Amino acid sequence: MFKILKYSFYDLIRSRWSYVYFLFYLLLGFVLLFLNNDLSKAVITLMNIIIILVPLIGTIFGVMYFYNSREFTELLLAQPIKRTSIFLGQYFGVACSLSLSLILGLGIPFALYGLFESNAIFDFSLLLVTGTFLTLIFTAMAFNIAISNENKIMGFGYSVLLWLFMAVIYDGLFLMSLILFEEYPLDNFSLLATMFNPIDLSRTLILLKLDISALLGYTGAVFKKFFGTQLGLFISISMLCLWTLAPIFRLAWKAKRKDF
Amino acid sequence: MIKLGNLILVLIVLQMHLAYSKTISICHDCDVKSIQKGISMAVDFDTLLIKKGTYKEFNIVIDKPLTLLGQNYPIVDGEDQGEIIRIISDHVTIDGLFLINVGTSYTSDHAAIRVVKSSFFLIQNVVLEKLFFGIYLEKSDHGKVYHNKIIGDAIDEYNSGNGIQLWYSKNIEIDRNIVQGVRDGIYLEFSDNITINNNISSNNLRYGLHFMFSNDDIYTNNTFKNNGAGVAVMFSKRIKMYQNQFLENWGTAAYGMLLKEINDAEISGNTFKENTIGINIEGSNRIRYTNNHFVNNGWAIKVLGACYSNTFEHNNFLYNSFDISYNSKLNDNVFNENYWSDYTGYDLDDNGIGDVPYRPVKLFSYIVNRTPETIILLRSLFMDIIDFSEKVSPVFTPDNLMDARPLMKKI
């Protein structure tokens, strides 16, 4: 598995896409810090970008890579290698390369601007952790879509739809249901609904650690407990882990059964 | 001529008073060992010089015009027995004492210093610790509370008292006091014509400053930091609030300022920074808000209803999560020439005033008002999209609620 991981990883680096991605974040980080020198403010702006862009890039890249390396995958399948190692190797190759670009691309400018002396370091590392989680989750989901659809157009369509649903439509439905059922106690429902969307989950997780969480706690005792204590952090992180593991397991399961 | 003669006579009498008023020293080695004894020995307009030491006394009653002057902050320890000093005479001065251990009671409001039905008092340079109520002015007038330090250790609202409390008192000046760790820093009930300047009220359980049924009061240059809520102004008329700082009243139900049933007030030059809600307004009319700064608040202004004919002019609204929140579609308040950091319009004729009106109520803030739980969608992409569409063509927010002349540069 590690051989295939290594191969995919170097393949991506050779194809320069990881460089482009890395340079994009590097530039973003420098520009943000140049425009406002305040680290903690930059973290908030960065959050808005990360929770939208990282899933988009993860999905598109994952689908693209899977379809592009199909011939190589078929070649590998002819060798005496376990199927799960082939697919998981490829998956981790892509996900690691994307995560590394993200972490280095944002980490370098922030480190240069004196992150280690500032107290925003915890917020920032949380941002990188959620960014990595989002990459892992959405790449895994993209691989799932690609493995289930032979048709490339269908595969791309589904993956764009997946991103659109998670980033925008889900919140719309969520908002509508909240307004529709406003007569009922909604705090537990709304917390639960956040758990079912990794993008919302990451957003709340980051907000949780910012001062702004007091605004959320304003609503009632349930929110106050969730956003005011370590409970929220703990639950959100474990839910993100679940979100990562579930598509990976499905990928492995699907890979074993698929007929090529 | 007769008037001048009278004046001279008064001066002579006063001179005689001064000449005859003597100083009684109180210390552990002196003839007079307790403050209470010193007071009973003294005649009108005497000075009691209390030297350094600890005096375990409570229920000290000052019933004649005296000056109690502490030397090097003598400690008066009430031993949690009850009230420490009660003033029932005019012209009393208390200066430089350190009062500790006021008794807590659920039936009577024990205070470190209580002034009852007296005029022309002066309480200054007093330090209070471990108190229940601090300085309690009851039906008194024309006094001054100056440069005192009140440090409480209140934990629960129900068994703690207020730092400086005024009840049916008039024409009092409260200046340069530091109040912290009590229930209400400064509390006014039925008290008119009070001046409150240059005080610092912080870390109090409930309010930094609290008005109830008090009219024609003015407070300037005070700092209210990290209280349950900065200032609560309730059921009062014609209050003037100038150049105060409302800082870090940050928590799940914290306000910088809470206005309830307030009419004809003036709020000018104040700074509201990092409060969950800058100003919470309910049932308040004809208030002028000018030259205030709202910086980094959750809500800069939250209007709850029945607020008419208020004007907001030349204020700065900088980086608040929500600038204004409204819960009705009716608007009778005027917003004019404010600076809004969220304003994205342009100024083609270069006169410093934006050509496109600014709508301070976002759709999201309207939704959050209706269904508070939706706040969980804060900073989500979907919300930005619908906010934008509402900005383009307002449907839900009051369409006349806008600043027609937003400023391009901050004040």
Side-chain angles (χ1 to χ4, degrees):
Chain A
M1 186 169 118
F2 281 101
K3 257 206 174 117
I4 293 165
L5 189 157
K6 230 165 87 186
Y7 174 79
S8 295
F9 190 79
Y10 285 119
D11 185 32
L12 276 168
I13 286 178
R14 258 203 307 277
S15 75
R16 295 200 196 90
W17 271 110
S18 1
Y19 288 125
V20 173
Y21 193 46
F22 165 70
L23 285 176
F24 168 73
Y25 278 118
L26 197 69
L27 199 71
L28 184 76
F30 273 120
V31 167
L32 263 182
L33 287 168
F34 178 73
L35 286 179
N36 55 354
N37 243 316
D38 188 356
L39 274 175
S40 47
K41 280 229 181 74
V43 166
I44 296 178
T45 322
L46 212 54
M47 178 199 89
N48 291 333
I49 295 166
I50 279 193
I51 57 173
I52 300 304
L53 270 188
V54 165
L56 180 66
I57 291 171
T59 349
I60 300 294
F61 224 84
V63 172
M64 235 160 60
Y65 187 84
F66 190 90
Y67 284 136
N68 253 355
S69 59
R70 194 183 159 85
E71 281 166 17
F72 175 63
T73 313
E74 275 170 11
L75 179 73
L76 282 178
L77 284 169
Q79 310 299 318
I81 309 172
K82 261 174 74 187
R83 273 189 168 198
T84 44
S85 352
I86 297 175
F87 288 99
L88 288 185
Q90 283 184 345
Y91 161 69
F92 280 114
V94 175
C96 286
S97 139
L98 287 178
S99 313
L100 205 67
S101 303
L102 173 78
I103 292 169
L104 288 181
L106 289 177
I108 290 171
F110 274 77
L112 287 182
Y113 269 82
L115 176 77
F116 296 111
E117 284 99 61
S118 99
N119 47 12
I121 184 154
F122 186 74
D123 296 344
F124 183 74
S125 26
L126 189 70
L127 200 68
L128 290 186
V129 168
T130 36
T132 312
F133 265 121
L134 281 175
T135 312
L136 290 174
I137 292 166
F138 278 87
T139 317
M141 292 209 275
F143 264 67
N144 269 301
I145 288 171
I147 207 171
S148 312
N149 291 285
E150 293 283 323
N151 187 338
K152 283 185 191 180
I153 305 294
M154 290 279 276
F156 270 107
Y158 280 134
S159 55
V160 170
L161 192 70
L162 170 79
W163 174 79
L164 202 65
F165 180 78
M166 290 296 196
V168 185
I169 300 170
Y170 186 87
D171 284 354
L173 296 174
F174 184 10
L175 177 69
M176 259 158 53
S177 55
L178 283 181
I179 291 179
L180 213 62
F181 298 110
E182 66 184 352
E183 311 286 315
Y184 300 90
L186 287 171
D187 5 23
N188 281 317
F189 166 75
S190 52
L191 284 179
L192 206 69
T194 346
M195 299 295 152
F196 285 104
N197 180 349
I199 294 184
D200 274 349
L201 194 58
S202 319
R203 187 171 47 77
T204 21
L205 181 60
I206 297 166
L207 285 185
L208 211 62
K209 283 294 124 201
L210 301 176
D211 276 351
I212 215 161
S213 62
L215 280 191
L216 294 130
Y218 177 79
T219 311
V222 177
F223 275 23
K224 192 175 170 185
K225 194 173 169 211
F226 186 84
F227 290 106
T229 60
Q230 294 299 319
L231 182 78
L233 188 73
F234 179 72
I235 293 179
S236 308
I237 291 199
S238 24
M239 272 315 284
L240 273 178
C241 291
L242 266 182
W243 264 106
T244 322
L245 291 176
I248 292 177
F249 277 121
R250 187 181 178 273
L251 179 69
W253 181 79
K254 192 85 187 163
K256 271 187 209 153
R257 275 156 192 77
K258 191 169 161 68
D259 185 22
F260 279 91
Chain B
M1 206 54 214
I2 296 169
K3 266 189 181 169
L4 195 66
N6 275 344
L7 192 69
I8 290 169
L9 194 72
V10 167
L11 277 177
I12 290 170
V13 169
L14 257 175
Q15 284 287 318
M16 279 167 64
H17 255 308
L18 286 176
Y20 282 99
S21 74
K22 55 185 194 306
T23 301
I24 301 171
S25 294
I26 299 169
C27 62
H28 291 305
D29 309 322
C30 307
D31 297 339
V32 186
K33 290 189 172 56
S34 84
I35 301 168
Q36 187 66 70
K37 198 173 166 210
I39 292 168
S40 57
M41 279 171 64
V43 292
D44 289 7
F45 297 101
D46 278 359
T47 298
L48 303 183
L49 185 68
I50 303 162
K51 299 203 169 150
K52 197 171 169 63
T54 304
Y55 302 86
K56 298 200 165 162
E57 292 183 55
F58 61 96
N59 288 343
I60 302 169
V61 179
I62 304 177
D63 50 1
K64 46 195 132 180
L66 295 175
T67 299
L68 265 69
L69 184 63
Q71 207 174 42
N72 297 326
Y73 285 99
I75 298 170
V76 182
D77 186 346
E79 294 185 299
D80 294 326
Q81 300 288 323
E83 196 166 280
I84 299 183
I85 295 176
R86 175 183 285 246
I87 298 171
I88 54 172
S89 157
D90 294 350
H91 298 283
V92 172
T93 300
I94 294 184
D95 189 346
L97 298 182
F98 190 161
L99 308 179
I100 57 168
N101 295 332
V102 180
T104 302
S105 160
Y106 295 95
T107 48
S108 58
D109 298 342
H110 293 317
I113 300 174
R114 178 186 289 266
V115 183
V116 184
K117 294 180 188 162
S118 306
S119 306
F120 310 107
F121 55 88
L122 169 64
I123 299 168
Q124 64 178 359
N125 305 321
V126 170
V127 181
L128 309 180
E129 275 182 26
K130 298 199 173 112
L131 56 127
F132 184 43
F133 279 78
I135 298 170
Y136 198 127
L137 312 180
E138 186 182 323
K139 295 191 173 173
S140 301
D141 53 74
H142 295 94
K144 193 169 178 184
V145 179
Y146 178 79
H147 199 265
N148 302 296
K149 196 167 180 180
I150 301 175
I151 299 178
D153 46 9
I155 295 164
D156 296 309
E157 269 186 27
Y158 66 90
N159 64 358
S160 53
N162 304 327
I164 300 173
Q165 171 147 351
L166 280 72
W167 192 66
Y168 279 111
S169 294
K170 307 222 170 349
N171 299 307
I172 311 277
E173 203 178 312
I174 299 172
D175 200 352
R176 285 176 212 280
N177 298 289
I178 296 172
V179 188
Q180 49 186 264
V182 288
R183 185 173 63 192
D184 285 352
I186 302 170
Y187 178 68
L188 280 70
E189 197 167 346
F190 308 109
S191 295
D192 303 341
N193 298 310
I194 311 291
T195 314
I196 303 169
N197 296 335
N198 309 312
N199 300 289
I200 299 171
S201 183
S202 58
N203 301 314
N204 297 304
L205 284 188
R206 200 166 63 181
Y207 304 124
L209 171 60
H210 189 181
F211 291 87
M212 279 295 217
F213 314 104
S214 300
N215 305 326
D216 303 295
D217 301 326
I218 175 165
Y219 65 100
T220 47
N221 282 321
N222 301 289
T223 302
F224 305 100
K225 191 172 169 183
N226 198 15
N227 300 297
V231 175
V233 192
M234 301 185 185
F235 310 100
S236 302
K237 290 175 192 139
R238 298 177 298 275
I239 309 279
K240 292 188 169 65
M241 321 172 197
Y242 301 138
Q243 276 95 32
N244 300 292
Q245 309 270 334
F246 301 81
L247 312 172
E248 294 167 39
N249 299 297
W250 192 261
T252 47
Y255 313 105
M257 192 198 283
L258 174 69
L259 301 180
K260 194 176 165 71
E261 308 293 330
I262 302 302
N263 292 327
D264 305 293
E266 240 179 89
I267 299 173
S268 181
N270 301 290
T271 302
F272 298 85
K273 197 173 172 188
E274 289 172 27
N275 305 292
T276 309
I277 297 174
I279 308 185
N280 194 69
I281 315 171
E282 208 178 327
S284 301
N285 308 313
R286 298 181 299 281
I287 300 178
R288 284 177 53 81
Y289 300 82
T290 51
N291 297 85
N292 299 296
H293 308 277
F294 298 89
V295 189
N296 285 333
N297 301 293
W299 283 267
I301 296 176
K302 192 164 192 173
V303 182
L304 284 178
C307 295
Y308 303 105
S309 306
N310 300 297
T311 44
F312 299 82
E313 270 182 334
H314 303 283
N315 300 293
N316 272 331
F317 291 86
L318 307 171
Y319 323 112
N320 304 297
S321 291
F322 304 101
D323 286 330
I324 314 272
S325 152
Y326 245 72
N327 70 348
S328 72
K329 288 195 76 167
L330 193 70
N331 174 41
D332 187 43
N333 302 315
V334 180
F335 293 87
N336 195 25
E337 296 190 12
N338 299 291
Y339 175 79
W340 312 86
S341 61
D342 279 356
Y343 182 59
T344 49
Y346 45 81
D347 178 23
L348 287 182
D349 51 5
D350 230 7
N351 61 353
I353 288 162
D355 299 343
V356 189
Y358 177 74
R359 300 184 179 281
V361 180
K362 290 182 191 164
L363 177 58
F364 186 30
S365 97
Y366 170 82
I367 293 171
V368 167
N369 238 323
R370 234 182 93 173
T371 321
E373 286 84 359
T374 51
I375 188 114
I376 202 158
L377 292 167
L378 184 74
R379 288 180 191 280
S380 117
L381 179 64
F382 181 75
M383 278 303 168
D384 294 344
I385 295 172
I386 62 165
D387 268 348
F388 179 75
S389 62
E390 174 77 9
K391 203 162 94 181
V392 177
S393 58
V395 181
F396 297 100
T397 50
D399 51 354
N400 66 341
L401 202 164
M402 59 183 182
D403 190 338
R405 296 161 59 81
L407 298 181
M408 294 305 286
K409 287 215 171 79
K410 66 178 159 189
I411 299 159

